[in-house]
């Protein structure tokens, strides 16, 4: 029976291998400290946090998230550890909540490896605090107990660590938040929240068996998936997919009905199987729903496999602890039985995963052909019927994502429009196999070609005259890649080269940001100078930092920070190693941009579970003239003006 704790209450732990599940409703940082009998933490090596997630007997998440699972093995903790304190803190990010009183009360559950809840605690009553000691596991009379703490700190993570005796607590808190910021930079931003009425509509088959027992969580998956007991994110209620600039005046229309299915079969998928005010919005929500379903069902599979392996290890350990089983063949039957049970649990988890993957693959097969041009790949026939649009779409596809368990199932990577952050195409050498087979010059060429394709897509999805593209190419090394943009005449001006060209373009865009910001603050948007281009602006930067002096670097950082809010966006092609001479001064710049690669690489993380997803860039089909066709129409529309 689950013990529902209140602040200060404790409960005996019946086992030493545990999970601590956290559901906060908003991204939080989760960590843990290892203290002595007085609760004092002796050094940073006794603190698990996103920058150092593994300690003996303890593992925490690598990034801020709304849901966490912490793995704890109390028997494997270092000698002298008498107390494990679980910490929560709000990340220091622009626009995020600054106090726990402004968000839903976090919920913490201590469970066994099989998922059975032992004790739960809801952290109510928090107000100005930005960090909280949620609960602690502590030794008592040869055993372990859990206590609900709920001690908040208005001084944040630094004050909480200092209270536990940590030296240089402020410095450590800063390094933890730095690690969180790095994790956030590699995470794909989720769609904005929405009211429960906007839940994604899903049609699922019957419940599947669950390795280790328990019940599946209340969520809308592609088909119900076993709820496993190893670290993975746990959903915390309905999924929201709101359009940030629309307020519903009336209930949205229902999604299209699915074709009838045969007896015992799941309903057949249809394109637009989500809520929304238009088919484009439904498809957008459906793609994000598929993305989340694949993330969570894969997490459940991985966790079930981890559980099966852990259970086998425990059974083999018990077998080997008996001296009689170490000689002859006395222990062989027990070992075979343990391995057979592992194989059985793993097989059941794989069957459940395959069911989910099959349904998601079927859904993808009907969604992809129905996608509008902004959401479609270059090989989709919709581009051959392209016409310049009359309004800005919700989002733009910039690549595909997949996981190793389902490499053939690709999820479109959609970014919201207008762009909320710039894009950095890394022309350096990532650690992927595809990069290892590509030389440095070819990587840079592919990176610049990718930048041109992204710029072309942005130009194509905006109405005529509402998007302008500038290029900085200091050494003129990207002339071949830029040729389609230059020949078609869609650029705002010739690519800028040399220090003078760099300075001129940066000064022009910096002036635009300054003037628009001043006009907005003064409430005088109509008084902008007549020579100011009102269109959204994209700046493509090649070969950074070549041709950039300290002033130009400062201006570029300013555009990255302040530009998106007033319609100025960056698309950088750069190798971070080339800019290493600037030191940490450029770290905020790299973190502010969404990093993608010109070849396949598994560097992006989803916002729910934190899987490493392989990103695949978009390419035009070999020999296709679709890019030239689209750019010609964009150029013609620019010449004739808005329709």
């Amino acid at each position: 029976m689950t013990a529902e704790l209140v602040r200060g209450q404790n409960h005996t732990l019946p086992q030493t291998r545990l999970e601590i599940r956290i559901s906060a409703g908003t991204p939080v940082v989760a960590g843990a400290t290892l203290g002595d009998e007085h609760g004092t933490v002796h050094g940073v090596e006794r603190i698990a946090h996103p920058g150092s997630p593994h300690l003996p007997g303890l593992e925490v998440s690598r990034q801020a998230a709304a849901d966490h699972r912490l793995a704890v093995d109390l028997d494997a903790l270092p000698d002298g550890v008498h107390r494990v304190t679980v910490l929560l803190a709000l990340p220091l990010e622009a626009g995020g909540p600054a106090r726990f009183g402004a968000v839903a009360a976090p919920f913490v559950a201590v469970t066994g490896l099989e998922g059975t809840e032992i004790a739960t605690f809801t952290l109510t009553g928090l107000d100005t605090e930005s960090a909280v000691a949620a609960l602690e596991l502590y030794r008592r009379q040869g055993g372990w107990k859990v206590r609900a703490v709920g001690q908040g700190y208005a001084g944040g993570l630094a004050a909480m660590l200092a209270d536990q005796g940590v030296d240089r607590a402020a410095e450590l808190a800063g390094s933890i938040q730095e690690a969180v910021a790095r994790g956030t930079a590699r995470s794909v931003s989720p769609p904005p929240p929405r009211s429960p009425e906007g839940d994604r509509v899903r049609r699922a088959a019957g419940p599947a068996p669950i390795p280790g027992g328990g019940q599946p969580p209340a969520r809308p998956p592609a088909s119900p998936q076993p709820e496993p007991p190893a670290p993975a994110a746990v959903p915390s209620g309905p999924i929201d997919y709101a359009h940030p600039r629309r307020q519903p005046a009336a209930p949205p229309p229902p999604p299209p009905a699915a074709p009838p299915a045969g007896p015992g079969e799941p309903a057949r998928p249809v394109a637009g199987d989500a809520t929304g005010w238009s088919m484009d919005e439904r498809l957008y929500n459906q793609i994000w729903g598929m993305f989340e379903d694949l993330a969570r069902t894969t997490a459940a599979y991985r966790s079930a496999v981890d559980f099966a392996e852990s259970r086998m290890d425990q059974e083999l350990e018990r077998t080997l602890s008996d001296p009689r089983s170490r000689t002859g063949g006395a222990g062989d039957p027990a070992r075979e039985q343990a391995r057979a049970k592992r194989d059985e649990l793993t097989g059941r988890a794989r069957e459940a995963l395959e069911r989910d993957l099959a349904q998601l693959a079927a859904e993808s097969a009907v969604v992809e052909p129905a996608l509008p041009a902004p959401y479609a790949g270059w090989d989709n026939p919709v581009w051959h019927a392209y016409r310049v649009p009359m309004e800005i779409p919700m989002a733009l596809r910039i690549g595909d994502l997949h996981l190793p368990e389902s490499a053939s199932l690709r999820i479109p990577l959609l970014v919201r429009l207008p762009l909320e952050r710039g894009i950095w195409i890394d022309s350096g050498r990532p650690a992927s196999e595809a990069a290892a087979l590509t030389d440095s010059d070819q990587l840079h060429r592919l990176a610049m070609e990718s930048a041109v394709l992204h710029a072309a897509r942005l130009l194509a999805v905006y109405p005529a005259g509402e998007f302008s593209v500038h290029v900085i190419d200091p050494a003129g090394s990207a002339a071949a890649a830029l040729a389609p943009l230059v020949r078609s005449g869609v650029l705002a001006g010739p690519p800028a080269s040399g220090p003078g060209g760099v300075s001129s373009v940066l000064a022009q865009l910096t002036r635009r940001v300054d003037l628009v910001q001043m006009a907005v603050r003064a409430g005088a948007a109509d008084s902008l100078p007549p020579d100011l281009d009102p269109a959204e602006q994209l700046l493509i930067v090649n070969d950074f930092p070549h041709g950039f002096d300290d002033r130009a670097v400062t201006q570029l950082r300013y555009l990255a920070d302040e530009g998106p809010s007033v319609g100025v966006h960056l698309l950088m092609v750069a190798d971070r190693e080339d800019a290493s001479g600037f030191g940490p001064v450029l770290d905020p710049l790299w973190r502010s941009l969404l990093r993608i690669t010109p070849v396949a690489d598994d560097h992006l993380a989803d916002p729910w579970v934190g899987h490493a997803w392989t990103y695949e860039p978009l390419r035009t089909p070999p020999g296709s003239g679709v890019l030239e066709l689209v750019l010609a129409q964009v150029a013609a529309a620019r010449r004739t003006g808005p329709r």
Side-chain angles (χ1 to χ4, degrees):
M1 182 176 178
T2 303
E4 298 181 1
L5 305 181
V6 296
R7 187 175 278 105
Q9 190 175 3
N10 60 56
H11 183 73
T12 300
L13 294 173
Q15 58 200 83
T16 56
R17 283 191 163 188
L18 306 164
E19 280 187 356
I20 298 172
R21 305 184 179 189
I22 298 162
S23 179
T26 192
V28 297
V29 183
T33 59
L34 306 181
D36 61 16
E37 61 271 19
H38 304 295
T40 302
V41 178
H42 298 281
V44 296
E45 66 277 4
R46 294 290 177 95
I47 304 173
H49 57 81
S52 178
H54 300 283
L55 292 180
L58 181 62
E59 180 180 355
V60 303
S61 304
R62 293 179 177 271
Q63 65 186 57
D67 304 301
H68 294 270
R69 289 191 185 181
L70 282 57
V72 181
D73 184 351
L74 298 173
D75 290 337
L77 295 175
D79 295 337
V81 173
H82 288 257
R83 191 177 302 179
V84 180
T85 304
V86 176
L87 315 176
L88 303 179
L90 293 171
L92 300 179
E93 57 183 17
R99 58 189 185 91
F100 275 107
V103 301
F107 173 81
V108 184
V110 180
T111 76
L113 288 184
E114 74 287 353
T116 304
E117 288 185 347
I118 299 170
T120 64
F121 175 41
T122 301
L123 285 77
T124 57
L126 298 175
D127 187 10
T128 61
E129 300 89 345
S130 60
V132 60
L135 53 78
E136 63 183 15
L137 314 178
Y138 63 98
R139 294 184 190 267
R140 180 58 54 90
Q141 297 177 350
W144 286 86
K145 289 188 172 185
V146 57
R147 176 186 292 120
V149 180
Q151 174 63 53
Y153 294 84
L157 193 55
M160 181 166 52
L161 294 173
D163 193 41
Q164 296 186 34
V166 178
D167 292 332
R168 303 171 72 178
E171 183 178 332
L172 176 59
S175 68
I176 292 173
Q177 293 287 2
E178 181 80 8
V180 172
R182 289 195 299 269
T184 302
R186 64 183 285 269
S187 178
V188 178
S189 300
R194 186 179 186 161
S195 64
E197 289 76 10
D199 298 348
R200 181 179 182 223
V201 179
R202 309 291 294 147
R203 297 177 173 88
I210 302 170
Q215 294 295 325
R219 65 177 175 87
S223 68
Q225 172 73 24
E227 173 63 20
V234 177
S236 57
I239 306 165
D240 292 338
Y241 303 98
H243 191 302
R245 295 181 298 279
R246 294 182 185 170
Q247 297 297 326
E265 295 180 1
R268 296 170 186 169
V270 294
D273 186 12
T275 56
W277 280 260
S278 67
M279 178 56 78
D280 286 2
E281 188 169 1
R282 287 174 176 168
L283 288 168
Y284 173 83
N285 291 342
Q286 186 172 15
I287 289 170
W288 270 97
M290 293 166 60
F291 186 12
E292 181 174 12
D293 284 349
L294 182 55
R296 293 197 185 278
T297 197
T298 304
Y301 167 72
R302 292 180 181 179
S303 295
V305 171
D306 288 344
F307 168 66
E309 294 286 347
S310 175
R311 176 171 177 160
M312 182 186 70
D313 291 343
Q314 291 181 50
E315 292 178 354
L316 291 177
E317 185 179 333
R318 284 196 295 268
T319 299
L320 294 174
S321 66
D322 185 352
R324 294 171 297 180
S325 66
R326 300 183 201 150
T327 59
D332 290 347
R335 282 189 281 269
E336 289 301 321
Q337 184 178 6
R339 294 188 180 99
K341 185 62 176 176
R342 183 272 313 272
D343 293 343
E344 178 192 352
L345 292 177
T346 302
R348 289 164 58 190
R350 186 71 203 186
E351 288 175 6
L353 175 68
E354 293 292 348
R355 283 196 300 271
D356 278 355
L357 293 182
Q359 188 171 348
L360 284 168
E363 189 171 10
S364 178
V366 299
V367 167
E368 277 286 354
L371 294 178
Y375 302 173
W378 286 111
D379 57 349
N380 192 309
V382 71
W383 281 106
H384 293 280
Y386 167 77
R387 294 292 182 270
V388 176
M390 297 294 292
E391 60 180 17
I392 302 171
M394 287 183 61
L396 179 71
R397 185 175 185 164
I398 62 169
D400 293 332
L401 299 172
H402 65 86
L403 291 171
E405 288 85 354
S406 52
S408 62
L409 180 56
R410 307 299 173 94
I411 301 295
L413 175 56
L414 302 180
V415 295
R416 294 297 295 252
L417 293 181
L419 292 173
E420 297 168 346
R421 60 194 291 199
I423 296 174
W424 163 33
I425 303 177
D426 190 352
S427 60
R429 185 173 297 281
S432 66
E433 180 180 352
L437 301 174
T438 311
D439 62 45
S440 298
D441 291 341
Q442 188 178 7
L443 277 174
H444 189 86
R445 178 180 61 79
L446 291 173
M448 199 59 207
E449 289 175 357
S450 292
V452 169
L453 290 176
H454 290 310
R457 291 176 72 87
L458 283 162
L459 284 164
V461 302
Y462 271 78
E466 293 191 19
F467 198 84
S468 297
V469 177
H470 309 260
V471 177
I472 289 179
D473 184 22
S477 60
L482 290 168
L485 298 179
V486 175
R487 283 198 306 264
S488 61
V490 295
L491 294 178
S497 60
V502 172
S503 176
S504 175
V505 172
L506 290 176
Q508 174 188 346
L509 293 178
T510 301
R511 171 179 176 267
R512 184 189 189 282
V513 172
D514 289 340
L515 290 175
V516 174
Q517 283 186 335
M518 287 189 292
V520 170
R521 283 195 293 265
D526 294 337
S527 62
L528 288 168
D531 64 334
L532 190 81
D533 183 2
E536 296 273 318
Q537 309 288 311
L538 177 72
L539 173 60
I540 302 176
V541 179
N542 181 43
D543 260 353
F544 177 81
H546 182 79
F548 281 72
D549 56 19
D550 289 346
R551 174 179 172 80
V553 169
T554 300
Q555 288 176 313
L556 192 69
R557 286 187 54 189
Y558 177 72
L559 293 178
D561 292 339
E562 304 294 333
S565 63
V566 291
V568 177
H569 313 284
L570 286 184
L571 177 55
M572 289 183 56
V573 176
D575 181 353
R576 189 168 183 172
E577 289 300 317
D578 293 342
S580 58
F582 286 93
V585 70
L586 288 181
D587 287 351
L589 172 65
W590 304 121
R591 287 199 302 267
S592 70
L593 305 173
L594 174 63
R595 174 179 173 255
I596 57 178
T597 51
V599 294
D601 186 60
D602 58 349
H603 66 281
L604 288 176
D606 65 79
W608 305 284
V609 182
H611 292 315
W613 292 73
T614 296
Y615 168 80
E616 292 271 3
L618 297 177
R619 299 284 179 205
T620 54
S624 170
V626 64
L627 178 62
E628 289 73 16
L629 171 68
V630 169
L631 290 177
Q633 293 223 31
V634 171
R638 287 168 62 94
R639 289 191 297 268
T640 58
R643 289 173 291 173

